[in-house]
Amino acid sequence: MATKFGDDFTVGDVLDAGRITVTETHVVNWAGLTGDFYPLHMDKEYAAQTRFGERLAHGPMIFALAVGRVALSGVGGDAAIAWLGADNLQMIAPVRIGDTISVTVEVRE
């Protein structure tokens, strides 16, 4: 795919960046990388007693997986030169081990 810069996108453009299934390996590796061993992510017995009934994936890890999907899509080629942030990021639903997330990007402005 050709490299695109900000002006090459049109408001309303939508990119399907694919999907990925969250695995046990993702969760364990993320905990090791970040030091986030919170029991809701790591302790099956603890998580079973919560309102979720099972372990959940780390929210920031889900965001990171989404960023990775966008990178793998090649939409920006090698045009990215800096991370400028993620405004108004929201986690709207829990993600469990075994769930598949789909990543869609929409140009809003």
Side-chain angles (χ1 to χ4, degrees):
M1 175 177 283
T3 298
K4 288 184 159 189
F5 297 95
D7 292 341
D8 297 323
F9 294 94
T10 303
V11 172
D13 284 353
V14 176
L15 164 71
D16 175 2
R19 60 186 180 274
I20 186 168
T21 299
V22 177
T23 67
E24 173 89 16
T25 301
H26 288 123
V27 172
V28 171
N29 284 342
W30 185 264
L33 180 66
T34 63
D36 183 353
F37 291 94
Y38 187 72
L40 184 59
H41 309 304
M42 306 305 295
D43 185 330
K44 184 176 182 178
E45 298 303 319
Y46 172 88
Q49 301 304 312
T50 70
R51 65 185 178 131
F52 304 107
E54 61 186 298
R55 291 180 299 151
L56 300 181
H58 304 76
M61 181 191 78
I62 299 304
F63 176 65
L65 289 172
V67 169
R69 294 301 315 164
V70 173
L72 287 172
S73 76
V75 67
D78 61 357
I81 57 172
W83 178 255
L84 299 177
D87 297 343
N88 302 314
L89 178 64
Q90 297 178 353
M91 300 293 171
I92 60 172
V95 176
R96 294 164 171 79
I97 295 170
D99 284 353
T100 299
I101 61 167
S102 298
V103 180
T104 305
V105 177
E106 177 183 358
V107 178
R108 297 181 70 183
E109 61 178 279

